[in-house]
Amino acid sequence: MTLKAVNLSVGAGDKSILSGINLEAKPGKALVILGPNGSGKSTLVRTLARQLRPISGEVMLDEQPIWQLSPTRFAQH
């Protein structure tokens, strides 16, 4: 299963915390998210885990947008 973020912007309301995020996490590969306190690392992870909806962009699981998957199906993967 490949998890991909495409042009992701995340924030609260209209305020953007992260913007223009592109990443791809492939099976068997390590992905490291580094940054100082308050830089949005936890916000990014919560968005990738479908706990926060992005302002724009898309998070894909094997080329399917995660928000089109049922919560059960997403949790299975």
Side-chain angles (χ1 to χ4, degrees):
M1 298 248 118
T2 299
L3 183 67
K4 186 187 295 186
V6 180
N7 202 25
L8 196 65
S9 291
V10 184
D14 291 336
K15 182 183 177 192
S16 180
I17 296 171
L18 300 168
S19 62
I21 302 296
N22 293 291
L23 64 85
E24 188 170 0
K26 294 183 178 186
K29 300 289 181 179
L31 175 68
V32 178
I33 301 171
L34 294 173
N37 289 347
S39 64
K41 298 179 302 292
S42 295
T43 300
L44 175 59
V45 171
R46 284 196 305 269
T47 304
L48 296 174
R50 208 177 118 148
Q51 294 176 348
L52 293 174
R53 280 193 180 263
I55 294 171
S56 64
E58 196 68 66
V59 178
M60 313 283 278
L61 185 60
D62 281 345
E63 302 301 322
Q64 185 171 9
I66 62 171
W67 290 100
Q68 290 181 1
L69 299 170
S70 71
T72 303
R73 181 140 168 98
F74 180 74
Q76 289 172 340
H77 296 288

